[in-house]
Amino acid sequence: MAEALVAGGVVGAAFGEGFAILHETVKHVVGQIIMFKSILKSLESTLDGIAPVVQEIRRLSLALDHPDKETKRLIQQMKKGKELVLKCSKIKRWSWNYYFKAYFYAKKLKKLNNAIEKFCQIDLTVQNTRTALETLIKVNQTRTTVLETEAKVDRVLEGVTELKKKKSGFRTLSCAVSRPRDYIVGLELPLKELKQLLSNKEESLLLLTALGGCGKTTLVKMLCWDDDIKGKYGENIFFVNVSQAPNLKVMVQKLFNRNGEECPVFQSDEEAIDQLEQLLNEIGQKKPILLILDDVWPGSESLIEKFKFDIPDYKIVVTSRTAFPRFPYRYNLNPLNRVDAKSLFCYSASLQDRDESSYIPEEYIEKFISGCGGLPIALKVIGGSLRGHLAGVWLSKLTKWSEGHSIFDSDAEVLDCLQKSLEFSADKTILKEYFMDLGSFPEDQRISATALIDMWSELHEPSEKDVHAIANLHELHDRNLASLVMTRKDATQIDDYYNEDFVTQHDVLRDLAIHLSNQEPVLQRKRLIVDISGNNPPKWWTEQKQQLINARLLSISTDELFSSSWCNIQAPEVEALVLNFQTRNYALPEFVEKMVKLKVIVVTNYGFYPAELSKFQLLRSLPNLTRIRLEKVSIPSLCNTLVLLRSLKKLSLFMCNIGQAFGNSTIQVSDSLPNLMEINIDYCNDLVELPGWLCEVLPLKKLRITNCHKLPLLPERIGNLTNLEVLRLMSCTELSELPESIKSLHKLSILDISDCLSICKLPKHIGKLHSLTEFHMKECLRLRNQLPPSIMELQQLKFVVCDEERAKLWEPFKEFLSNLKVKVAKKDINLNWLPK
């Protein structure tokens, strides 16, 4: 075919003939072989660029009868090139080794293209050719002909030079790692720790996770340029940005394109992954492989799994804002400490270059650093925005912050960066609502996990056992939008107990939640967050004239100077009310009485001392109130109010003084609390006796009394609670025994007496608890004698958690309880539950 293409043409020197054959062959097939289209286009471009050069060399060589020995090697390559191109045109897509051949021939074509470029780019050879031609031409031709030839040769050289410019930078490393360009501070220790984790031979995939803007990408780039890492992995370090909408085939093509090599278009993800595995097996024979998958979004976990191959010394580092549960081997990158944060901020603001006339007070600097919360993106952007400005501009910005303006009002870059973390899939959009609700609690304070669960379950997704709210709480934690701190390591194995757990949130994230909630006019917001300083409510509050607040969630935070002097507002649509205060005395606002749609109220004292809560009786008139959570308060009128709350389902008391209220109670509840199914009493140190009325709340399903160290006994009438499913008495250290009447709790499935140091025996007829599936009894130090024989009747018992000494007591019963698993719990000593 190639011979026919040049038939009838002038057959000159071998070099020109070889070039012509290859050139015409490429032009003929370039549009026919799709898989090599890009390579052949590049080769065609190369040949087109040097065609004028070849024509001149061929004409002059013919005229001078010049030998072809100088171009013999290239002539041979051109002939082989023609054969290669023809072979490429014959590859069948359905062939079993299609991709292997495609990859093999692609490398050959690239090699040919590079050889031609190299030949034409050797300036010395071209100059020598020009000099020789000029000398010979001068002997045989006139001065005019010499000048014409010189001009033509000049054009040849210009063509070569232009070709060099055109082809410069042609070869790229599509998966190469660029050096970090930013001013870097505070990542030396994380880099060292990351390298240590990467050296673990047992783990092939390491997840690097952090809040957006913390420096994850910068850290992995530092890792790739580290001398130790480069020494180990050499050129087998690959960096691929995954992003929000990843294309697996394109990602694999980028990996195939290492060192500028082309790759055919894959027909499916499976074919791409199969070929990638072959490639990695080949290149991994000489050096280990390190693959960086940067910026992985939720929903891409299964895609990441596809890059895992059983190849020796093959490591994957994944960076993401989400701590994917399926990748437990991870490194959490924290915000910068105070020293490093100041260094980055001062550098970004160019404070080191200022003279005395533009002095910035140290207190201004410290306040801005505090406002950025150690978040690198905020420190850089805020610092940069203040660069070169006088102290007055700094003070103006600080004043706006103190007046309630957000960091995001003037710095869109930080907002854009963090808002990416709130881009959820269609089935996860509710998470944004959950996130914004976190702004309802004070800055730099722990948030009760149960308070959030109660609020979310009533506002967003009501469900049995609050499963949706709990799942989404963990989702926010995994996405680094909040931090869930669990004080008890075996808590996940005990129903849904989160009473001692709490949530923290980065200050900048809290500001983001409030900023997003404040986008609508005050009276139209569905989430209204109010901070009152002293006795000075916001201006809109005092000016309101019969205007209704449309919020479903209302949060009011007051400081230690607040006197409980409330201005009236109308908020009939409120379903969740969050009251945060710090004073020794606090009165519920009068307007609560008219919140007829109120479902959940959370009252939290963030002061150091317990506070007396008054006007609690205002809650009596609320027909839809289902959940009450009180923290660090004393309520003398508690019991008299509760008896009138017929819709109440859950009562939670944390660190409250309730002994007086319970001890003086003589109320008769009978059916007055028909819906009360859960009571939680935690860290109430003045509780010495449970009130008798509690044993009359027959609908009760969950009773949790924990860390009440002065409670010596449970009432015998506790056996009346026949609907009880969960009984938790953890860390009631003075509790000496369980009443025999407990045998009547036939629906009880979970019993927890962990850390009840004074219990020395179990009830004789404990075997009557036929529904019992979980029994927690670790660190019951006085429980040393043989367990009662009726234990053998607990045929539904599947799980016992205890310490090593108590585990021995269960040995005689294992042969009778075939489904039983006894777990020896490790000692868990932590002070996470203590207030900050």
Side-chain angles (χ1 to χ4, degrees), residues 38 268 407:
S38 61
S268 68
I407 184 177

Side-chain angles (χ1 to χ4, degrees), residues 220-236:
V220 289
K221 286 184 176 181
M222 289 176 62
L223 178 73
C224 294
W225 282 96
D226 180 81
D227 290 339
D228 294 335
I229 296 299
K230 289 170 66 178
K232 179 176 181 179
Y233 295 96
E235 295 183 357
N236 286 352

Side-chain angles (χ1 to χ4, degrees), residues 712-731:
L713 295 170
L714 295 180
E716 188 67 28
R717 287 192 298 161
I718 200 169
N720 295 342
L721 302 176
T722 54
N723 288 304
L724 202 63
E725 298 175 0
V726 176
L727 178 59
R728 301 189 68 251
L729 303 166
M730 187 190 76
S731 294

